[in-house]
Amino acid sequence: MSIKPGSNHFSFNLHKTSAGTGWFLKACLLPALILAVLLASKPAGAGSETPPQQLAAEEPFEFNAGLNDVWVNPDAPFQGLFFTVFPDRNLVFAAWFTYDAQTPPEDVTAVIGAPDHRWITALGEYDGNAASLEAEINTGGSFNAAEPVARQETGYGVINVEFANCEQGNVEYDFPPSGESGSFSIRRVANSNVALCEALAGSDPTCSRADPDISHGPDDPPTFGGALVQEEDIFDGGPGPDGIPPLEFPDFIQDAGLIDLDSAELVVGVKVGDDVRAYPHSILNWHEVVNDRFTVDGSTEGATLNYCPLTGSAMLWKAFAERVNKTYGTSGLLYNSNLVMYDRATESLWSQMLEQSIRGREVKRIPDRLPVVETTWGTWQAMYPETIVLSEDTGFSRNYDAYPYGTYREDQVLLFPAANDDDNRLHRKERVLGINVGTNSKVYPISGFSSDVEVINDNVGNMQVVVAGSSGLNFGVVFNRELADCTVLSFDAVQDKLPVVMRDNEGNEWDAFGTAVRGVRRGQQLQKTNSYVAYWFAWTAFFRGADIHQ
Amino acid sequence: MIPGVFRSALLALIIFGLHGPVFAATCSCAGVPLLTSIDTSATEKGDLFISYSIDDHQISDLVSGSDDVRDETQRDRHSLSQVLSVSYALTDRWAVSALASHVKHSRTIGSSFLGTTTTSGVGDSVILARYSPFFITPFSRHGLSLGLGVRIPTGDDDFGSGITVAEDMQPGTGAYGEILWASYSYAFNQAATLQFNTSANYTRNEENDREYAFGDEFNLAFGVSQSLGARFGYSAALRYRTTRADTRFEFEIPNTGGQWLDFVPAIQYAVTDHLSIGLSGRIPVARKLKGVLQFTTSYSYAFSVTYGF
């Protein structure tokens, strides 16, 4: 995890990429330092060594990403430190932009900048509110050029940093090669990130969010003759096993110009790793199961996209079998009018909306689930213009322009028995975003969202959730807004910035998959919930007595 | 002894007898032909006929409306039905018939990892009363028969190894049905060796205990039959059939119901004066099915043996 020089910029290899941070930092430094001067209440000569202020002990305080900022010594204007904290790595990086310890002779010149400009970088682990960083000096490079390659001289010294709180810190330095050592207090150039820091620091480090309840209902549900549901409640739909033929590793259309989809047509959107795909309902209506592969961190993983046209529900399940066939098929059976799949490794039966095996060797097993976003093609394409689309060239002779079930999507008809079918609080085919938390269940009708993106900070059972949806864009998603460190975020809607749909109280922006795409929490993922879109009659068949968001 | 005239009639009845509407309607394409060997011809008081037939029905054509569709799932679906019928003439005009059946369905999806689904068991039964106000004799060239019957759900309708299979795979319908039937024949010659035959029947299907009802059905057939010599006869007919969509909870099931036109050839051979055997087939000529995709009849054929006392 060392910082490797590349020409005159830093190659920061924590993420195995090179990034020209040096020139960027330098470009940003001058305005920041001007700001520091404007904000500093005690200007002083450069290089002064003000004894460190006795910091008020505040227990406990720990390094967090809210410390990422420009920090200055009020007694040393036009110079300062940039800190970058990597909480997931327990590392902190410091870049100290300063000057030489002595003014160079007047005949010493520089082509860019001033001959007395100096910067020192340091990297190390933090422990609580303190970190000891190994300093390095880079030299021998050329401005914005690959050659000559700069040299990185490690072991230049040590920089010790300690923060008492989000606004005050101390720096101690010792650079043996130059004989320089000392300490000084530091403070922020501006207080914009103090709230974030306090929010991150306020979370109890001993706190750990409860593991998600991945099951729908009891943790150890009763069985009936080894099956999770009564056999009399499972119906043969008629086509027989794989009579509705699943698609196996199908083709996708890459060229956006060749995609012929109406913008209002519903698709199931998937984003796994770098793979962004849309599966049109018009094709899923005829096949229901798509066994596919995705590339995650350079390796190929199997996953099955399953959609039930009778219940309007879509899921993405990871392949579970360790060996042999990891794919699923359609069993031809239905439970509560909902798709029952079978896995080809063990021939166990799986209820789609229960998200669980209901019979066979894998009974009670819950598949690893990946999020999907059901929306219109127009909205999905706006979210991810680079998306590819499932091709109609499936190898099957099906008229994908035809809907196979007549007026089913709009009428009140049930083709197969479903429990609780007299719960008529909503139209049977009303599309709802449902979430199940333990024994608590709540639905948010898609049509009930505002036309623009609407965000609802809500509670379902003992889970604090954030719901984002839009009737105009035709989507709805819900996540746990409590983070792993027990920080509970609150959200507002973001308009006209798809796939970004919400912003939290820390200023981070999050997309429809619950991923932070901007802000200090960039890359973090909101916890997935037991939720999906389905027809109302189906949701209430599985989760009786669900609350309805008004 | 089976007079020649009766043989012709008998042959006609193989073709034009109540065929198909009354049983576990395999995919709404008339899977189980219960009444192929009903003797609805002219009778004399005391005549008794016993007939056994076996029908093999292949239901693997995939159709969208009127267009054949290639079936990549390699589906093999067929029904084997055995029917035993007894007819007795109460008077010269009144007769009663009773039929019982045994049905075996099988379904294999060739592209699937799972095996064949098979059901087998006693099917439904029919009791039919027939009245013939007039019939073909050496002195009359016209024959008319009217029938009224009921299908009785004597067959299994909840077959399954725990999980109940779909209605079209059940040996029985699980529901009563009411049958109306009529046939008319005209003899072109006094010996009645060449006849024109037509028949029509209507079946109204009730719901089973899972609130599923097969679509009501109407059949209409036209054809000719001819006896060649003392023992051999043949017939050929076109049969039109239409069914309403099946229903569950009184709502129509998509992709059920439609119209079919079949060519039905048959031959018959009188082994003795009392015993005859027959072979008939059903070949689809045209069809127009409801919905966007249905499996329907590829072909069927039946073999029958009839003994007259």
Side-chain angles (χ1 to χ4, degrees), chain B residues 29-233:
Chain B
C29 56
V32 181
L34 190 64
L35 304 177
T36 52
S37 57
I38 273 284
D39 177 3
T40 57
S41 67
T43 58
E44 291 182 3
K45 179 180 178 181
D47 278 353
L48 175 66
F49 290 94
I50 297 177
S51 178
Y52 168 82
S53 67
I54 183 166
D55 180 280
D56 190 353
H57 185 186
Q58 186 71 24
I59 310 153
S60 299
D61 279 6
L62 187 58
V63 174
S64 176
S66 301
D67 300 324
D68 291 344
V69 177
R70 187 178 74 238
D71 175 30
E72 296 87 355
T73 64
Q74 304 158 39
R75 185 186 189 93
D76 179 31
R77 168 78 175 89
H78 86 280
S79 299
L80 192 69
S81 308
Q82 301 176 71
V83 177
L84 181 68
S85 69
V86 177
S87 294
Y88 179 73
L90 299 171
T91 70
D92 288 350
R93 284 181 168 70
W94 285 96
V96 293
S97 301
L99 294 87
S101 63
H102 182 277
V103 181
K104 179 181 178 182
H105 295 298
S106 70
R107 178 184 67 197
T108 304
I109 311 298
S111 60
S112 177
F113 284 62
L114 301 183
T116 299
T117 302
T118 302
T119 62
S120 177
V122 172
D124 292 347
S125 305
V126 169
I127 296 177
L128 183 74
R130 172 170 53 85
Y131 175 70
S132 300
F134 47 90
F135 39 82
I136 294 175
T137 70
F139 309 102
S140 171
R141 297 198 181 184
H142 303 273
L144 177 67
S145 292
L146 305 170
L148 179 67
V150 60
R151 184 189 66 232
I152 303 169
T154 52
D156 290 334
D157 72 323
D158 58 354
F159 191 98
S161 55
I163 298 173
T164 305
V165 298
E167 271 74 10
D168 72 310
M169 282 285 293
Q170 296 288 350
T173 62
Y176 284 91
E178 297 84 42
I179 306 164
L180 292 175
W181 172 88
S183 74
Y184 169 79
S185 299
Y186 174 78
F188 290 101
N189 54 27
Q190 192 175 28
T193 55
L194 180 63
Q195 295 183 25
F196 164 78
N197 310 101
T198 182
S199 71
N201 62 71
Y202 175 77
T203 302
R204 181 175 178 276
N205 294 306
E206 306 289 340
E207 281 186 352
N208 66 12
D209 57 6
R210 292 190 295 281
E211 299 186 65
Y212 190 96
F214 292 101
D216 294 346
E217 179 172 337
F218 174 75
N219 290 272
L220 179 65
F222 296 92
V224 294
S225 61
Q226 185 176 25
S227 297
L228 300 174
R231 298 193 178 280
F232 181 76

Side-chain angles (χ1 to χ4, degrees), chain A residues 409-424:
Chain A
R409 286 178 294 197
E410 296 86 27
D411 59 30
Q412 296 270 36
V413 172
L414 293 184
L415 298 181
F416 295 92
N420 202 28
D421 61 357
D422 57 351
D423 187 343
N424 55 5

